[in-house]
Amino acid sequence: MSTTHGKRALSPGTREQTQRSDGLQAGLKNRHLSMIAIGGIIGAGLFVGSASGIAKAGPGILLSYALVGALVVCVMRMLGEMSVANPTSGSFSAYADRALGRWAGFSIGWLYWFFWVVVLAVEATAGAVILEGWVPALPQWAWALVVMVVLTATNLASVGSFGEFEFWFAGIKVVAIAGFVVIGGLAAFGVLPGSDSPGDGFANLTAHGGFLPNGADAILSGMLLVVFSFMGSEIVTLAAGESENPQRAVTRAISSVIRRVGFFYLGSILVVVCLLPWNDPAITERGSYVAALDAIGIPHAGQVMNAVVLTAVLSCLNSGLYTASRMAFSLGRRGDAPRAFARTTMRGVPQAAILASVAFGFVAVAFNYLWPDTVFQFLLNSSGAIALFVWLVICFSQLRMRRIILRENPEGLLVRMWFFPYLTWATITVITFVLGYMLTDDSEGGGRIQVLLSVLVAVLVVAVSLVRSGIGRNADDEVVSRW
């Protein structure tokens, strides 16, 4: 395989483009892809993690979300350029393999897989906490087992069943956020009948210490808290390879990413900081959305939001298992993972890749219950900066892939990165700056330990890749010498 790496081209005859004939099926409808694209950018972190960001930066958290959102928009534009030209189940890992070398595709593929299987454990535990509160007869570990088993069965059934579940999960999230923005916005300006809100409009943005009560540095600190809630926006490019019309689906998803970031993230957070003073203790005690609903006078706000958060958790579990398994499938196709990962069932499902991914997820859940402060904390910290590594690899891949696409498949360049290559390099600079700023956060479980442990894991994975490449070259040389 290593001897033919330099000859792979972006054309319908390449290995990655023939994936349907290799077993995967185009079982995702356009409505599935549309909702996956929307729901992928609305993670459980938006509902759960926004309170700490507001407490850190005050109303200035809006700038933190806007900056990270702009970063995501640029990264998605770059990924969209490559995905429209060459839709593949491996997405950025396959593009890194093509543009930067086997070591890059291998490394970022396995790191991304590792990130999502750790997320499986986090989300299974979060869902179990909510479900145990509703039905305490079952312990948390049993609920975690139940949700993992159910969603594993969904993914094993067919890609269509995954798409259908995700369609409804994402639909609930979208309706919930849209309803929150509309109702909260009306209440904030005093035009919602029966609302308990005084209708202060934009007054709370500056009335309690100013728009930046904790200084401009808090914007950067807020970025560190919110950046990882955006992870998942790239899932649509992995799913595109199993859709009816991948180019059209990806093009539409990429084109609408600015609107989705603006409405769902900035819109909902703006509603919260307009309805409540940023330093209201209810935000950190009950969560930003629950506190806002309580301020409006919505009955049973806590339970309503718990139901929405549970839906977001299940959605993240569902899509996380899908994403991890498809990345494992792509790695298997390229010879960078066990060949069994590349085999599919009669229903077009990579069964071995799914089972391997969920098995590691089950192990991580066990670690969370047995050694939450040691082994599981290590897993969390060592995957903490991988999202930023993925974005960096996408940027560097796009710099090379633009030339490759123009040479080999110019008609496929339907989506172009703006102001290329200057905006690509600017995005690389910002991501690198964020990683550097994380090193200044020396709090327990903070940015410094996450970056250092993530770098350690990345170095180990790259070392394995280089060793494998060296072994492969030696084997090829030995065959040549025998001839």
Side-chain angles (χ1 to χ4, degrees), residues 78-101:
M78 289 180 249
L79 186 54
E81 177 179 300
M82 297 183 287
S83 297
V84 170
N86 184 31
T88 167
S89 62
S91 188
F92 50 83
S93 174
Y95 307 140
D97 184 305
R98 178 76 173 96
L100 305 177

Side-chain angles (χ1 to χ4, degrees), residues 19 25 37 40 48 90-91 149 172 224-225 231 233 240 256 258 268 293 375 383 387 389 397 418 441 449 455 483:
Q19 57 191 297
Q25 296 180 357
V48 179
S91 188
V149 168
I172 293 172
L224 302 186
L225 293 172
M231 194 64 172
S233 53
S256 64
I258 296 177
S268 62
L293 291 174
V375 178
S383 64
F389 296 168
S397 297
W418 307 294
D441 179 13
I449 190 66
V455 168
W483 281 97

Side-chain angles (χ1 to χ4, degrees), residues 5-6 8-10 94-101 401 404 407-408:
H5 171 71
R8 282 175 287 165
L10 292 172
Y95 307 140
D97 184 305
R98 178 76 173 96
L100 305 177
M401 285 296 291
I404 295 172
R407 183 176 67 246
E408 300 176 355

Side-chain angles (χ1 to χ4, degrees), residues 2 20 41 57 66 80 101 120-121 124 155 189 218 224 261 325-326 394 405 410 434 438 475:
S2 59
R20 293 186 190 181
I41 209 166
L120 292 181
N155 276 264
F189 289 93
L224 302 186
V261 169
S325 65
R326 280 359 181 234
I394 290 172
I405 295 170
V434 171
M438 288 177 70

Side-chain angles (χ1 to χ4, degrees), residues 307-449:
V308 175
V309 171
L310 178 62
T311 301
V313 165
L314 295 177
S315 172
C316 191
L317 263 173
N318 192 41
S319 57
L321 181 54
Y322 172 85
T323 303
S325 65
R326 280 359 181 234
M327 184 58 72
F329 170 83
S330 179
L331 289 166
R333 287 272 318 282
R334 288 177 274 143
D336 291 335
R339 288 292 183 186
F341 287 3
R343 300 192 190 107
T344 59
T345 65
M346 293 181 63
R347 297 183 301 274
V349 171
Q351 180 173 289
I354 292 174
L355 293 177
S357 300
V358 80
F360 192 95
F362 276 125
V363 171
V365 169
F367 286 156
N368 193 17
Y369 286 104
L370 297 174
W371 302 290
D373 299 323
T374 52
V375 178
F376 188 69
Q377 191 61 43
F378 172 81
L379 292 177
L380 284 179
N381 289 335
S382 60
S383 64
I386 287 177
L388 294 172
F389 296 168
V390 168
W391 294 351
L392 272 179
V393 167
I394 290 172
C395 294
F396 283 112
S397 297
Q398 190 260 342
L399 287 172
R400 296 287 302 275
M401 285 296 291
R402 169 65 73 89
R403 293 196 295 270
I404 295 172
I405 295 170
L406 286 174
R407 183 176 67 246
E408 300 176 355
N409 184 29
E411 65 276 9
L413 199 60
L414 302 176
V415 174
R416 292 173 179 259
M417 177 59 182
W418 307 294
F419 305 111
F420 177 83
Y422 308 108
L423 192 53
T424 300
W425 280 111
T427 305
I428 291 171
T429 302
V430 174
I431 295 172
T432 304
F433 174 78
V434 171
L435 283 168
Y437 191 79
M438 288 177 70
L439 291 172
T440 66
D441 179 13
D442 58 357
S443 60
E444 184 177 354
R448 178 180 297 175
I449 190 66

